[in-house]
Amino acid sequence: MKLNREVQTLISRFDSLLSGAIEAHFSDIERTNASNRAIDIVKEGMNYSLLAGGKRIRPMILLEMATAYGAELKTALEFAIAIEMIHTYSLIHDDLPSMDNDDLRRGKPTNHVVFGEDMAILSGDALLNLASELMINASISLDSPEKGLRAMYEILQASGSKGMILGQVADIKYHEGVIDREALDFINANKTGKLLKAAVLAGAILGRADDAELFKLKSIGEAIGLLFQLVDDILDVVGDESKIGKRTQIDLQNEKCTYPALLGLEQTRAYVSELEQSILMEIDKLSCQSDFLRSLVLFLSRRDY
Amino acid sequence: MKLNREVQTLISRFDSLLSGAIEAHFSDIERTNASNRAIDIVKEGMNYSLLAGGKRIRPMILLEMATAYGAELKTALEFAIAIEMIHTYSLIHDDLPSMDNDDLRRGKPTNHVVFGEDMAILSGDALLNLASELMINASISLDSPEKGLRAMYEILQASGSKGMILGQVADIKYHEGVIDREALDFINANKTGKLLKAAVLAGAILGRADDAELFKLKSIGEAIGLLFQLVDDILDVVGDESKIGKRTQIDLQNEKCTYPALLGLEQTRAYVSELEQSILMEIDKLSCQSDFLRSLVLFLSRRDY
């Protein structure tokens, strides 16, 4: 199993790429007595959660897809940074007292615990906004700005009120009643699935994927989104806390509906293997450099963290 | 004083344009037992604040500029709707208990009072996200998608952590100390000024404004942003509550620093006249259909609501 070496290098130093993007963003703003304090506060709030660790799965997928379809890595990297900012903003807002009310994430106090609710809301807003700014900037300099716009559209449709936000609304509101399989699929597909699918599509769009190819990639992207969630749910039950970097059994304590809770652990594991195999078969039908994509799928389905 | 008739018509039915945009946005999403409730909840939260009234100043400016520079009104309208969504999201988040803690806006309960804090945060997020989606969509279909990207960039840079969000951070954090003229200018320029300036620039960019013209429009846009704030501050002191649609003297009660508080009412009024005249002189140097722009400036400086 071998991921693309260039992509691996980028992911291994993703923290510094993220903080570099924040630094560059604020580099052209006028520093005065009046502006200094506000700039420092907003920067610190954004950096804190961006650099609080994370598997960087979405940027990894986007970059692997981009290389598989021959996209310029420099542009794809801006989109990879943007998608991680969107993911981070969603975590900051999800953790708020009025939502999941989480004090800890990856062993560190959550954003609102450190900076207050007001600043946490604004840091989240700022990261969502900056993600768009970065993608616009990267798109303007492309030979085909339309390509950039289409990649942006995939990402922002996935993070918006027909995607991630809708999933979060359902997750909060459906909690009150009994969650059946249809509701669980809906919540997961929207809350986590669509942004992962968008990472698959955006990377390919920035490269040379045509409409026929994108059609195939849509179902692969959906399957990858589901695969990711199934593995996450399994790791919450049986994972090694020291590897995962967060406490396990949290879903159980929060009475959160998960696939293992609904289907049983063994059937969820069987479902993962089944999905893994069907995704690999679909990948064989693609017209791209698919070796690394196969490795990516194996990495996602067999990860223990 | 005469504003562009087509623009006036659009502004007079802006409520239905906004609700139409929300309706269109959700029209292609699959309706199932699992999705129905979440879609209805998120739609209602977004519509509630969008349709809670408002002067629609930002879309009006953007559309007037677009017509002055010969932009296609259909595309400009998408940007006008987007900028009003961004303005609305900022009001929803500003009103939250952890920020300004306002229960009423324009005589109606604020979003979190009706739907809860969690849904208010998500509705705000959803509106910011949708604004980008709409502008991307409108840009893709342009002959020059790059133009759309440049207009988007003006708007999103203005609403982000180098603009509106930075201004809100300063407004909250600087409140603790004494606010001097420099700090007041900084807060206002960022919190309200930059998005108004972006409305000026984005409308012109979508039309035929070249770089030399945009250079002139930047200082006009800044002056319009300041003019708007000065008039708002004055109306809070002397305005007619029934016309403004909100209680006056709120700034005073909240011990908010304003121009009348810092400069005195008469000097603030003199400042408005001075700015109005200098903007009108700058407008004379533009190469566009400037009649309506003159009317727009007079409307902004002499409004009593």
Side-chain angles (χ1 to χ4, degrees):
Chain A
M1 185 167 106
K2 209 166 117 281
L3 290 160
N4 181 300
R5 194 192 284 175
E6 270 185 290
V7 173
Q8 273 184 298
T9 308
L10 288 173
I11 293 298
S12 71
R13 56 192 199 83
F14 215 70
D15 271 25
S16 75
L17 293 169
L18 287 168
S19 65
I22 297 288
E23 209 50 56
H25 170 64
F26 286 106
S27 65
D28 66 348
I29 192 165
E30 205 192 349
R31 288 285 195 162
T32 64
N33 282 337
S35 72
N36 269 331
R37 218 178 116 215
I39 296 170
D40 291 341
I41 291 170
V42 77
K43 239 174 98 168
E44 198 187 349
M46 293 164 85
N47 268 326
Y48 179 80
S49 293
L50 273 179
L51 308 179
K55 298 181 286 291
R56 315 304 187 192
I57 296 277
R58 290 154 196 82
M60 187 194 293
I61 294 176
L62 193 149
L63 290 169
E64 287 289 354
M65 295 301 298
T67 48
Y69 286 93
E72 203 201 8
L73 216 50
K74 190 167 158 280
T75 309
L77 183 59
E78 294 297 311
F79 282 77
I81 289 170
I83 206 168
E84 190 67 5
M85 285 183 178
I86 291 175
H87 173 58
T88 305
Y89 121 78
S90 77
L91 300 180
I92 297 175
H93 282 193
D94 282 7
D95 286 339
L96 286 166
S98 63
M99 304 240 210
D100 296 351
N101 195 20
D102 278 324
D103 288 348
L104 283 175
R105 180 173 288 275
R106 299 184 184 286
K108 293 180 76 173
T110 45
N111 198 294
H112 64 270
V113 170
V114 181
F115 303 103
E117 261 181 85
D118 49 0
M119 292 302 128
I121 294 167
L122 290 168
S123 293
D125 294 347
L127 288 171
L128 172 59
N129 198 101
L130 180 53
S132 284
E133 291 173 73
L134 292 179
M135 291 189 284
I136 294 168
N137 234 337
S139 300
I140 286 180
S141 49
L142 285 175
D143 288 338
S144 159
E146 201 201 315
K147 240 184 201 183
L149 282 165
R150 285 197 294 129
M152 270 185 86
Y153 195 62
E154 287 300 337
I155 290 170
L156 285 163
Q157 228 189 7
S159 64
S161 44
K162 292 196 290 198
M164 192 174 72
I165 292 171
L166 185 64
Q168 174 69 353
V169 169
D171 198 14
I172 293 172
K173 292 294 183 183
Y174 294 2
H175 210 78
E176 298 142 19
V178 178
I179 293 183
D180 58 13
R181 177 66 190 275
E182 196 195 347
L184 183 64
D185 283 343
F186 175 76
I187 292 170
N188 285 327
N190 284 283
K191 192 170 169 171
T192 53
K194 284 187 179 169
L195 197 60
L196 289 156
K197 177 183 167 191
V200 169
L201 294 173
I205 288 170
L206 292 172
R208 282 181 296 263
D210 61 16
D211 283 350
E213 194 77 357
L214 288 172
F215 185 79
K216 293 180 211 160
L217 287 172
K218 271 181 193 165
S219 56
I220 292 178
E222 269 163 38
I224 284 179
L226 178 56
L227 179 73
F228 174 85
Q229 190 60 52
L230 291 165
V231 174
D232 238 39
D233 283 1
I234 292 171
L235 287 173
D236 184 75
V237 182
V238 303
D240 179 339
E241 294 196 359
S242 65
K243 281 186 184 167
I244 305 180
K246 65 179 175 188
R247 279 179 306 136
T248 57
Q249 313 270 344
I250 288 177
D251 295 338
L252 204 68
Q253 283 166 39
N254 293 346
E255 293 177 25
K256 213 188 137 195
C257 184
T258 63
Y259 287 102
L262 208 67
L263 310 176
L265 190 57
E266 283 322 299
Q267 216 185 314
T268 308
R269 279 182 165 143
Y271 195 11
V272 167
S273 309
E274 202 183 294
L275 259 179
E276 176 195 286
Q277 288 312 306
S278 75
I279 297 171
L280 292 176
M281 276 174 59
E282 292 303 313
I283 285 179
D284 283 342
K285 299 177 196 159
L286 295 173
S287 348
C288 71
Q289 269 261 314
S290 62
D291 300 2
F292 297 129
L293 295 192
R294 299 177 64 87
S295 296
L296 179 68
V297 172
L298 294 176
F299 165 78
L300 290 174
S301 69
R302 296 175 186 189
R303 68 193 166 95
D304 58 1
Y305 65 94
Chain B
M1 186 168 107
K2 207 166 118 279
L3 290 159
N4 181 300
R5 194 192 283 176
E6 270 185 289
V7 172
Q8 272 184 298
T9 307
L10 288 173
I11 294 298
S12 71
R13 58 193 198 82
F14 214 70
D15 271 24
S16 75
L17 294 169
L18 289 167
S19 65
I22 297 288
E23 209 50 56
H25 171 63
F26 286 106
S27 64
D28 66 348
I29 192 165
E30 205 191 349
R31 288 286 196 163
T32 64
N33 283 335
S35 72
N36 268 331
R37 218 178 116 215
I39 296 170
D40 291 340
I41 291 170
V42 76
K43 240 175 96 167
E44 200 188 347
M46 293 164 84
N47 269 324
Y48 179 80
S49 293
L50 274 179
L51 308 179
K55 298 182 286 291
R56 314 306 186 193
I57 296 275
R58 291 154 195 80
M60 187 195 292
I61 294 175
L62 193 148
L63 290 169
E64 287 289 355
M65 294 302 297
T67 48
Y69 286 94
E72 203 202 7
L73 215 50
K74 192 169 158 279
T75 310
L77 183 58
E78 294 297 312
F79 282 76
I81 289 171
I83 206 169
E84 190 67 5
M85 286 183 178
I86 291 175
H87 173 58
T88 305
Y89 121 78
S90 78
L91 300 180
I92 297 175
H93 282 193
D94 281 7
D95 286 338
L96 286 167
S98 62
M99 304 239 210
D100 296 352
N101 195 20
D102 278 324
D103 288 348
L104 282 176
R105 182 174 285 276
R106 299 184 184 287
K108 293 180 75 174
T110 44
N111 198 294
H112 65 270
V113 171
V114 181
F115 303 102
E117 260 182 84
D118 48 0
M119 291 303 126
I121 294 167
L122 290 168
S123 292
D125 295 347
L127 288 171
L128 172 58
N129 198 101
L130 180 53
S132 285
E133 290 173 74
L134 292 179
M135 292 189 283
I136 294 168
N137 235 337
S139 301
I140 286 180
S141 49
L142 286 175
D143 287 341
S144 159
E146 201 202 315
K147 238 183 203 185
L149 282 165
R150 285 197 294 130
M152 271 184 85
Y153 194 62
E154 287 299 338
I155 290 171
L156 286 163
Q157 229 190 5
S159 64
S161 43
K162 290 196 290 199
M164 192 174 71
I165 292 172
L166 185 65
Q168 174 70 355
V169 168
D171 198 14
I172 293 172
K173 293 292 182 186
Y174 294 2
H175 209 79
E176 298 143 18
V178 177
I179 294 183
D180 58 12
R181 177 66 191 273
E182 194 193 350
L184 183 63
D185 283 343
F186 175 76
I187 292 171
N188 285 327
N190 283 282
K191 192 170 168 170
T192 55
K194 284 188 179 169
L195 198 60
L196 289 157
K197 177 183 169 192
V200 169
L201 294 173
I205 289 170
L206 291 173
R208 283 182 295 264
D210 60 15
D211 283 350
E213 194 77 355
L214 288 172
F215 184 80
K216 293 180 209 158
L217 287 171
K218 271 180 193 164
S219 56
I220 292 179
E222 268 162 39
I224 284 179
L226 179 55
L227 179 72
F228 174 85
Q229 190 61 51
L230 291 166
V231 174
D232 238 37
D233 283 1
I234 292 172
L235 287 174
D236 184 76
V237 182
V238 303
D240 179 338
E241 295 197 359
S242 66
K243 281 186 185 166
I244 306 179
K246 64 178 175 188
R247 280 181 305 136
T248 57
Q249 313 270 344
I250 289 176
D251 294 340
L252 203 68
Q253 282 166 39
N254 292 347
E255 293 176 25
K256 214 187 138 196
C257 184
T258 63
Y259 287 103
L262 209 66
L263 309 178
L265 191 58
E266 282 323 298
Q267 215 184 315
T268 309
R269 278 184 165 141
Y271 195 11
V272 167
S273 308
E274 201 182 295
L275 259 179
E276 177 195 285
Q277 289 312 307
S278 75
I279 298 172
L280 291 177
M281 276 174 59
E282 292 303 314
I283 286 180
D284 282 341
K285 300 178 195 156
L286 296 174
S287 351
C288 71
Q289 270 262 313
S290 62
D291 300 2
F292 297 129
L293 295 191
R294 300 176 64 88
S295 297
L296 179 67
V297 172
L298 293 177
F299 165 78
L300 289 174
S301 69
R302 297 178 186 188
R303 69 193 165 95
D304 58 2
Y305 65 94

